[in-house]
Amino acid sequence: MNKADISTVARLLITCPDGPGIVAAVATFLKDHGANITDLDQHSTDPLGGTFFMRLEFQTPQLDLSSKRLEQKFNEDVGKPFKMDWRIHYAANLKKMAIFVSKYDHALLEILWRWSRHELAIKIPFIISNHPDLQQAADHFKVPFHYIPVTDKAQAESQMLALCQDIDGIILARYMQILSEDFVNHFPNRIINIHHSFLPAFVGANPYQQAYDKGVKLIGATAHYVTKDLDMGPIIAQDVVRVSHRLSAQKIRVLGQYVERTVLARAIKSHVEDRIIVDGNKTIVFDLE
Amino acid sequence: MNKADISTVARLLITCPDGPGIVAAVATFLKDHGANITDLDQHSTDPLGGTFFMRLEFQTPQLDLSSKRLEQKFNEDVGKPFKMDWRIHYAANLKKMAIFVSKYDHALLEILWRWSRHELAIKIPFIISNHPDLQQAADHFKVPFHYIPVTDKAQAESQMLALCQDIDGIILARYMQILSEDFVNHFPNRIINIHHSFLPAFVGANPYQQAYDKGVKLIGATAHYVTKDLDMGPIIAQDVVRVSHRLSAQKIRVLGQYVERTVLARAIKSHVEDRIIVDGNKTIVFDLE
Amino acid sequence: MNKADISTVARLLITCPDGPGIVAAVATFLKDHGANITDLDQHSTDPLGGTFFMRLEFQTPQLDLSSKRLEQKFNEDVGKPFKMDWRIHYAANLKKMAIFVSKYDHALLEILWRWSRHELAIKIPFIISNHPDLQQAADHFKVPFHYIPVTDKAQAESQMLALCQDIDGIILARYMQILSEDFVNHFPNRIINIHHSFLPAFVGANPYQQAYDKGVKLIGATAHYVTKDLDMGPIIAQDVVRVSHRLSAQKIRVLGQYVERTVLARAIKSHVEDRIIVDGNKTIVFDLE
Amino acid sequence: MNKADISTVARLLITCPDGPGIVAAVATFLKDHGANITDLDQHSTDPLGGTFFMRLEFQTPQLDLSSKRLEQKFNEDVGKPFKMDWRIHYAANLKKMAIFVSKYDHALLEILWRWSRHELAIKIPFIISNHPDLQQAADHFKVPFHYIPVTDKAQAESQMLALCQDIDGIILARYMQILSEDFVNHFPNRIINIHHSFLPAFVGANPYQQAYDKGVKLIGATAHYVTKDLDMGPIIAQDVVRVSHRLSAQKIRVLGQYVERTVLARAIKSHVEDRIIVDGNKTIVFDLE
């Protein structure tokens, strides 16, 4: 999406009890206020008594109200009556996503490279790492780099939280430290992690070695929101690649990295384009691909 | 979809010039007449001056009009004003799909098996073949079988057209005769063919031998609507499978058949669930998978 | 493989401590006795101190010894000196594979259909089921069907073992009863099961419901040899298919069945073509695809 | 493969008329001269009268001859008698692969990044480009960069040939100029190109636009050796990705680039690890993955 598009696109995400008339109410509201719907996707778990999810993209140039007033009116006219849990994002307000990384560079570089080519519409305010190794990578892309070793976890997290005061979310691009429940609670459904296995298989450490020992014929990667339970949060995206007896655990790891970086990038894209609604411990992803 | 669902679901497919207010108009109309929208999918080629496509599923039990009156009123209130090309299908009216087949049974059996398990919501009024071989397969599934050899093409087609007076569409399940332009024109976008290659590669005869000679590393199958130009009609679905030097042309053919049957079945499902809108020589497929 | 090929092909499978000279010894032996090698595949876990695995196909028409004498001589000249664990299979001796099935027909029908088209070179002496439902399917393919309900497990297994006196292996084509350790021990690495998940995820019952609840974006199927530990035996083949929020648990199950039948068929093919060597709890599969 | 391995591994590639005794002869020769076979792969088009292809990896530390003498003796004892077309590569002699690129950086960066992480065992003596844009990328990886605009094709190629005097091969990483037949003839089966479509579909220019207009449901990329016929040389590797109506031609292009870079990298890896034998206009690729 080029800069002109981004500056005028708004995205409305809705979750509410399903029932008749929701689409009519929302679409009519938007039409009445000069918003032209350019994309719409929805899902219902059960038209009778289930939950309804919707994502709309609309153009804002002809709006007859300020965004603040529009949101107030939407709440009065549609949101409250339909008991909606809703939010509007303005695409021009790029999400500020901090990146945490340890030693492996493949996922980090993939994000930085796509971001530098405008394929990820985000701001990257800084990178935090518990190792100094990737300073050079950060410098190359002109992104501030903070080396925060984790010898004293509470103190390290305190530093990190201070830096993260003003961000919208965090990308764990193979950040190998486990964040505390307290830290995680500051960013509900806003920390995206890439786990190097096809969850729920091989949670925890050394999943490639686990996969090799198990003798699976496919390995994978999973991007998910981080919750207090390790590798258990809502899954956003997954992919796999074939392996065979010919590949050592080391070769499996190399192959897996290509899947990790792709899956993580895809998940971030879905997140920053406001394509994801979390439902319990699962995600509805209104994707293009 | 179980029988109760099918009996009350209706599907509205719309193509029209894009512009503001379409979704509001359609959704409001349906709400006003007691139709509960249970699924909605749309696509726009360009919000300013492009084409808009939409598919809605709605429940009919609370409609305040007969379907005939509803359609009239829709045309007056929404269809004409928005210059829509639209149609409503009632899921309870299962499409009558005749199947044409030659000698290979894999695609035919896949369809018959899925149909017998209620995974394809269609009626199969009869099977036509230019060989007698598959009579037994038809008998096993209790489907009328017409052996129509094609020595005199015009005469054979005349027979086939007579049988096809009352059908909704035709499935070419590896039917190896080329239908005349006249025959095809009787069923625009209602004849689905499975071509055993990844189009547009390897059109025409012996695509597996062509693929083997070319040394491709993937082979595929393509389901498409039949037009007067051989293997050139709007593509509905495609899939591929890996091959290598280890596979002879014969082994490639065996492997390819599994892809053919799956791709054809998927295309038929999309078609009979009214998920496809043809746009020029391409398809918009509002799929679940 | 056509009948002429099968009648003259022999397959030699070898496992031994790796070291220099193994290929030379085996190849020279075969050449000296008039066996023409037509295919060869090998794998070493570590040339220094690891394990060596090899599969050879060779033609038998010009052998200068009877198969019995050949095997004796091979053991003396090559097998013993290299401390080999080896066996020769003659492709003309089609493996007798019994099929166990419960109520679901998709995996069973896939096997029967491929077998009837000579795409699976096996004999199917009988089908055993704990339900009567699939009698008709067996009859259609003219395969003896034994209905053995499992009210008294020990007694049922006793009956089954009696029938299985003379078979080479068992295919569990969605056979939902858990075989006892004793039963399993009669057929080490000769019972192939299809589990309807991507192991090691979702072991045990209702894996599709588990997958749906977990919110995974891919589901899969795994074919493996049965051991005393449920769903834990050496994995032979796996595959996945994409799913999304749009699919209910029921729709996921339907989609998964297509993967199950394909993965099971592929595993059986590898097994009966003597392409698998079990190494601990993993498999080396010398495959074509 | 770590540096110690590379320094002692040799690879023998053989093409010859098939017949009995080849494996025995080769394996015995190697054993007799102290070469320990660590990997072996072969393929026969037809044991009776067909062509035989083999790739062996063997360890050299215990060789009883110099490599020059070994090759002479191999030719006398095995090569000539079996009418072999053969060559030995020493893995320690990394192939010098020049990279040609135009404006798009995705394929180039993928190669440079994998090379810098020792995932591609090659030397990159220089990069040639007909645009100045990617000078910075080359500098970052400390690879010499030659900007050679192609206003006068003969003169540009003359410059390029002069630079390429001493290289082993050329990687066209989205190099958009068509090399002359004369240039190509200097490097038979040693120029690897990535074409951004699934060949033989969409040869020539703008394949993504062609794919978009055609309405295919999958797009792909193909790596192949360059011959005098544009996009017609022996195919080495291919892969695809799903697309739908939701993706514009531009979005298709972005998605396709990820496939291009992966397919090209895989093809280069196969080439530099001496896994490819060209047979007519096809390749035998003895791959790990």
Side-chain angles (χ1 to χ4, degrees):
Chain A
M1 185 163 285
N2 60 49
K3 287 184 101 171
D5 286 349
I6 283 185
S7 65
T8 57
V9 166
R11 299 162 185 146
L12 170 59
L13 291 171
I14 293 167
T15 303
C16 66
D18 203 359
I22 302 172
V23 179
V26 175
T28 302
F29 176 90
L30 290 173
K31 186 197 73 166
D32 289 348
H33 292 284
N36 184 20
I37 297 173
T38 51
D39 198 17
L40 188 162
D41 212 337
Q42 57 78 67
H43 172 67
S44 172
T45 60
D46 187 341
L48 305 168
T51 312
F52 177 85
F53 307 90
M54 183 156 68
R55 175 188 188 270
L56 297 103
E57 274 197 359
F58 59 92
Q59 281 287 329
T60 58
Q62 269 79 54
L63 284 178
D64 63 353
L65 299 172
S66 70
S67 45
K68 187 166 177 176
R69 263 307 277 152
L70 186 81
E71 295 187 33
Q72 277 173 353
K73 232 177 172 311
F74 182 79
N75 202 38
E76 292 165 22
D77 297 356
V78 184
K80 273 220 175 103
F82 285 92
K83 299 184 178 56
M84 288 180 176
D85 182 2
W86 66 272
R87 58 188 204 272
I88 294 182
H89 295 268
Y90 301 91
N93 301 345
L94 301 184
K95 295 192 198 332
K96 291 189 289 290
M97 307 291 290
I99 306 177
F100 290 15
V101 66
S102 290
K103 271 191 144 179
Y104 292 124
D105 66 346
H106 57 282
L108 172 69
L109 287 176
E110 183 69 7
I111 300 166
L112 291 174
W113 177 68
R114 293 198 192 200
W115 163 73
S116 69
R117 302 168 105 247
H118 309 292
E119 281 166 25
L120 273 181
I122 57 178
K123 284 195 166 104
I124 303 178
F126 53 83
I127 294 167
I128 284 176
S129 180
N130 58 324
H131 292 276
D133 304 46
L134 299 178
Q135 169 92 52
Q136 225 186 344
D139 291 347
H140 177 68
F141 287 91
K142 299 181 175 42
V143 175
F145 181 91
H146 302 282
Y147 167 41
I148 301 179
V150 182
T151 28
D152 178 326
K153 182 156 166 170
Q155 206 229 32
E157 287 201 354
S158 175
Q159 266 185 271
M160 304 193 313
L161 274 173
L163 282 163
C164 291
Q165 286 294 332
D166 186 41
I167 58 162
D168 298 304
I170 299 170
I171 298 162
L172 305 183
R174 289 303 299 276
Y175 182 68
M176 305 313 290
Q177 293 295 316
I178 298 176
L179 299 166
S180 71
E181 185 173 343
D182 175 70
F183 187 100
V184 168
N185 286 342
H186 281 79
F187 309 97
N189 295 328
R190 291 190 290 136
I191 304 176
I192 300 174
N193 179 48
I194 183 70
H195 179 75
H196 41 312
S197 85
F198 176 71
L199 292 173
F202 311 130
V203 299
N206 293 318
Y208 288 130
Q209 188 63 49
Q210 295 187 49
Y212 176 78
D213 294 340
K214 181 64 182 171
V216 286
K217 302 299 181 179
L218 295 163
I219 56 156
T222 305
H224 65 97
Y225 288 119
V226 174
T227 58
K228 59 179 179 62
D229 303 307
L230 183 65
D231 299 331
M232 296 287 284
I235 291 171
I236 304 167
Q238 297 182 290
D239 208 347
V240 294
V241 67
R242 286 172 53 150
V243 294
S244 75
H245 59 269
R246 284 181 286 278
L247 300 180
S248 61
Q250 168 60 15
K251 283 196 159 77
I252 280 175
R253 190 161 70 77
V254 171
L255 210 60
Q257 289 178 0
Y258 303 133
V259 187
E260 295 173 36
R261 66 179 184 175
T262 300
V263 170
L264 178 59
R266 196 188 333 152
I268 295 167
K269 192 175 209 288
S270 299
H271 177 85
V272 300
E273 289 179 0
D274 304 299
R275 297 184 172 281
I276 307 174
I277 299 180
V278 176
D279 176 37
N281 202 46
K282 300 165 56 169
T283 62
I284 312 285
V285 185
F286 291 121
D287 242 355
L288 277 186
E289 309 157 22
Chain B
M1 184 161 287
N2 60 49
K3 287 184 102 170
D5 285 350
I6 284 184
S7 67
T8 57
V9 167
R11 297 161 185 148
L12 168 60
L13 290 171
I14 293 167
T15 303
C16 66
D18 203 359
I22 302 171
V23 179
V26 175
T28 302
F29 175 89
L30 291 172
K31 186 197 73 164
D32 290 347
H33 293 285
N36 184 20
I37 297 173
T38 51
D39 198 16
L40 188 162
D41 212 337
Q42 56 79 67
H43 173 65
S44 172
T45 60
D46 187 341
L48 303 170
T51 313
F52 177 85
F53 307 90
M54 184 156 69
R55 174 188 189 270
L56 296 103
E57 275 197 359
F58 59 91
Q59 281 287 328
T60 58
Q62 268 77 57
L63 284 177
D64 63 352
L65 300 172
S66 69
S67 44
K68 187 166 179 176
R69 262 308 278 152
L70 186 80
E71 294 187 34
Q72 277 172 355
K73 219 156 186 327
F74 181 80
N75 201 36
E76 292 164 23
D77 298 357
V78 184
K80 273 224 175 101
F82 285 91
K83 299 184 177 58
M84 288 178 176
D85 181 3
W86 66 272
R87 58 187 203 272
I88 294 182
H89 295 269
Y90 301 91
N93 301 344
L94 300 185
K95 294 191 198 332
K96 290 189 289 289
M97 306 291 290
I99 306 177
F100 291 13
V101 67
S102 289
K103 272 191 145 180
Y104 292 124
D105 67 346
H106 56 281
L108 172 69
L109 287 177
E110 182 69 6
I111 300 166
L112 292 175
W113 176 69
R114 290 197 193 202
W115 164 73
S116 69
R117 299 168 106 249
H118 309 292
E119 280 166 25
L120 273 180
I122 58 178
K123 285 196 165 104
I124 303 178
F126 53 84
I127 294 167
I128 285 176
S129 180
N130 58 322
H131 292 276
D133 304 46
L134 299 178
Q135 169 92 52
Q136 226 187 343
D139 292 347
H140 178 69
F141 286 91
K142 300 179 175 40
V143 175
F145 181 91
H146 302 283
Y147 168 41
I148 300 179
V150 182
T151 26
D152 180 326
K153 182 157 165 171
Q155 206 231 30
E157 286 200 356
S158 177
Q159 266 186 272
M160 304 193 313
L161 274 174
L163 282 162
C164 292
Q165 286 294 332
D166 187 41
I167 59 161
D168 298 303
I170 298 170
I171 298 163
L172 305 183
R174 288 303 300 275
Y175 182 69
M176 304 315 291
Q177 293 295 316
I178 297 175
L179 299 167
S180 71
E181 184 173 343
D182 176 69
F183 187 100
V184 169
N185 286 343
H186 280 80
F187 308 97
N189 294 329
R190 291 190 289 137
I191 303 176
I192 300 174
N193 180 48
I194 183 69
H195 179 73
H196 41 312
S197 85
F198 176 70
L199 291 172
F202 312 130
V203 300
N206 292 318
Y208 287 129
Q209 187 64 47
Q210 295 187 50
Y212 176 77
D213 294 339
K214 180 65 182 173
V216 286
K217 302 298 181 179
L218 295 164
I219 56 156
T222 304
H224 65 97
Y225 288 117
V226 175
T227 58
K228 60 179 179 63
D229 303 307
L230 181 66
D231 299 332
M232 296 287 284
I235 291 171
I236 304 168
Q238 298 182 288
D239 209 346
V240 295
V241 67
R242 286 170 56 149
V243 295
S244 75
H245 59 269
R246 286 181 285 278
L247 301 180
S248 61
Q250 168 60 14
K251 283 195 158 77
I252 279 174
R253 190 162 70 77
V254 171
L255 210 61
Q257 289 178 1
Y258 303 134
V259 188
E260 294 172 37
R261 67 178 185 176
T262 301
V263 171
L264 178 59
R266 196 186 335 150
I268 296 167
K269 191 176 211 286
S270 299
H271 177 86
V272 301
E273 290 181 359
D274 305 299
R275 295 185 174 279
I276 306 174
I277 298 179
V278 176
D279 176 37
N281 202 46
K282 300 167 54 169
T283 62
I284 311 285
V285 185
F286 290 122
D287 243 356
L288 277 186
E289 308 157 23
Chain C
M1 185 160 288
N2 59 51
K3 287 184 100 173
D5 286 349
I6 283 185
S7 67
T8 58
V9 167
R11 298 160 185 148
L12 169 60
L13 289 171
I14 292 167
T15 304
C16 66
D18 203 358
I22 302 171
V23 178
V26 175
T28 302
F29 176 91
L30 290 173
K31 186 196 72 165
D32 289 349
H33 292 286
N36 185 21
I37 296 173
T38 52
D39 198 17
L40 188 161
D41 212 337
Q42 57 78 66
H43 173 66
S44 171
T45 60
D46 186 339
L48 304 170
T51 312
F52 177 84
F53 307 90
M54 183 155 69
R55 174 188 188 271
L56 297 103
E57 275 196 359
F58 59 91
Q59 281 288 329
T60 58
Q62 269 76 56
L63 285 178
D64 63 351
L65 300 173
S66 68
S67 44
K68 188 166 178 177
R69 263 308 278 151
L70 187 80
E71 294 186 35
Q72 278 173 352
K73 225 167 179 322
F74 181 80
N75 202 36
E76 292 165 22
D77 297 356
V78 184
K80 274 221 174 100
F82 285 92
K83 299 183 177 57
M84 289 178 175
D85 182 2
W86 65 272
R87 58 189 204 271
I88 295 182
H89 296 268
Y90 301 91
N93 302 342
L94 300 185
K95 294 191 198 332
K96 291 189 287 289
M97 306 291 290
I99 305 177
F100 290 14
V101 66
S102 289
K103 272 191 143 179
Y104 291 124
D105 66 346
H106 57 282
L108 172 70
L109 287 176
E110 183 69 7
I111 300 166
L112 291 174
W113 176 69
R114 292 197 191 200
W115 163 73
S116 68
R117 302 168 103 248
H118 309 292
E119 280 167 25
L120 274 179
I122 57 177
K123 286 195 164 106
I124 302 177
F126 53 84
I127 294 167
I128 284 176
S129 180
N130 58 322
H131 291 275
D133 304 46
L134 299 177
Q135 169 93 51
Q136 225 186 345
D139 291 347
H140 177 69
F141 287 91
K142 300 181 174 39
V143 175
F145 181 91
H146 303 282
Y147 167 40
I148 299 179
V150 182
T151 27
D152 179 326
K153 181 157 167 169
Q155 207 230 31
E157 287 200 355
S158 176
Q159 267 185 271
M160 305 192 314
L161 273 174
L163 283 162
C164 293
Q165 286 294 331
D166 186 42
I167 57 162
D168 297 304
I170 299 170
I171 298 163
L172 304 184
R174 289 303 300 275
Y175 181 69
M176 304 315 290
Q177 294 294 317
I178 298 176
L179 299 166
S180 71
E181 185 172 342
D182 175 71
F183 188 100
V184 168
N185 286 343
H186 280 79
F187 308 96
N189 294 329
R190 291 190 288 137
I191 303 175
I192 299 174
N193 180 49
I194 184 70
H195 179 74
H196 41 311
S197 85
F198 176 71
L199 291 172
F202 311 128
V203 299
N206 293 319
Y208 288 129
Q209 187 64 48
Q210 295 187 51
Y212 177 78
D213 294 338
K214 181 65 182 172
V216 286
K217 301 299 181 179
L218 295 163
I219 55 155
T222 305
H224 64 97
Y225 287 119
V226 175
T227 59
K228 61 180 179 61
D229 303 307
L230 183 66
D231 299 330
M232 295 287 284
I235 291 171
I236 303 168
Q238 298 183 287
D239 209 347
V240 294
V241 68
R242 286 169 56 147
V243 294
S244 75
H245 59 269
R246 286 182 285 279
L247 301 180
S248 60
Q250 168 59 13
K251 283 197 158 77
I252 279 175
R253 191 162 70 75
V254 171
L255 210 60
Q257 289 178 1
Y258 303 133
V259 187
E260 293 171 39
R261 66 178 186 175
T262 301
V263 170
L264 178 59
R266 196 187 335 150
I268 295 167
K269 190 176 211 287
S270 299
H271 176 85
V272 301
E273 289 180 0
D274 305 300
R275 297 184 173 280
I276 305 173
I277 298 180
V278 176
D279 175 36
N281 203 46
K282 300 166 56 169
T283 62
I284 312 284
V285 185
F286 291 121
D287 243 356
L288 276 187
E289 307 157 25
Chain D
M1 183 160 287
N2 60 50
K3 286 185 102 170
D5 286 349
I6 283 184
S7 67
T8 58
V9 166
R11 298 161 185 147
L12 169 59
L13 291 171
I14 293 167
T15 304
C16 66
D18 202 357
I22 302 172
V23 179
V26 175
T28 302
F29 175 91
L30 290 173
K31 187 198 72 166
D32 289 349
H33 291 286
N36 183 21
I37 297 174
T38 51
D39 198 17
L40 188 161
D41 212 338
Q42 56 78 66
H43 173 65
S44 173
T45 59
D46 187 340
L48 303 170
T51 312
F52 177 85
F53 306 90
M54 182 155 70
R55 174 188 188 270
L56 297 102
E57 273 196 2
F58 59 91
Q59 280 287 329
T60 58
Q62 269 77 55
L63 285 176
D64 62 352
L65 299 173
S66 69
S67 45
K68 186 166 178 177
R69 264 306 280 152
L70 186 81
E71 295 186 34
Q72 277 172 353
K73 226 164 179 320
F74 181 80
N75 201 36
E76 291 164 24
D77 297 356
V78 184
K80 272 218 174 106
F82 285 92
K83 298 184 177 58
M84 289 179 175
D85 182 2
W86 65 272
R87 58 188 203 271
I88 294 182
H89 295 268
Y90 301 90
N93 302 343
L94 301 184
K95 294 190 197 336
K96 291 189 287 290
M97 307 291 290
I99 306 177
F100 290 15
V101 66
S102 288
K103 272 191 144 178
Y104 291 125
D105 66 347
H106 57 281
L108 172 68
L109 287 177
E110 182 70 7
I111 300 166
L112 291 175
W113 176 69
R114 291 198 192 201
W115 163 73
S116 69
R117 301 168 105 248
H118 308 292
E119 281 166 25
L120 273 179
I122 57 178
K123 285 195 164 106
I124 303 177
F126 54 83
I127 294 166
I128 284 176
S129 179
N130 58 323
H131 292 275
D133 303 45
L134 299 178
Q135 169 92 52
Q136 226 187 342
D139 292 348
H140 178 68
F141 286 92
K142 299 181 175 38
V143 175
F145 181 91
H146 303 282
Y147 167 41
I148 301 179
V150 182
T151 26
D152 178 327
K153 182 157 166 169
Q155 207 232 31
E157 287 200 355
S158 176
Q159 265 186 270
M160 304 192 314
L161 273 174
L163 283 163
C164 293
Q165 285 294 333
D166 187 41
I167 57 162
D168 298 303
I170 298 170
I171 298 163
L172 304 183
R174 289 304 299 275
Y175 183 67
M176 306 314 291
Q177 293 294 317
I178 298 175
L179 299 166
S180 71
E181 185 173 341
D182 175 70
F183 188 100
V184 168
N185 286 343
H186 279 79
F187 308 97
N189 295 329
R190 292 191 287 137
I191 303 176
I192 300 175
N193 180 49
I194 184 70
H195 180 74
H196 40 313
S197 85
F198 176 71
L199 291 172
F202 311 130
V203 299
N206 292 319
Y208 288 129
Q209 188 64 48
Q210 296 186 49
Y212 176 78
D213 294 339
K214 181 66 183 172
V216 286
K217 302 298 181 180
L218 294 164
I219 56 155
T222 304
H224 64 97
Y225 288 118
V226 174
T227 59
K228 59 180 180 60
D229 303 306
L230 183 65
D231 298 331
M232 296 286 284
I235 291 171
I236 304 168
Q238 298 182 287
D239 209 347
V240 294
V241 68
R242 286 171 53 149
V243 295
S244 75
H245 59 270
R246 285 181 286 278
L247 301 180
S248 61
Q250 168 60 14
K251 284 196 157 78
I252 279 175
R253 190 163 69 76
V254 171
L255 209 62
Q257 289 177 1
Y258 303 133
V259 187
E260 294 172 37
R261 67 178 185 176
T262 300
V263 170
L264 178 59
R266 198 189 330 152
I268 296 167
K269 192 175 210 291
S270 298
H271 177 86
V272 300
E273 289 179 1
D274 305 299
R275 297 185 173 280
I276 306 173
I277 298 180
V278 176
D279 176 36
N281 202 47
K282 301 165 56 169
T283 62
I284 312 284
V285 186
F286 291 122
D287 243 355
L288 277 186
E289 308 157 23

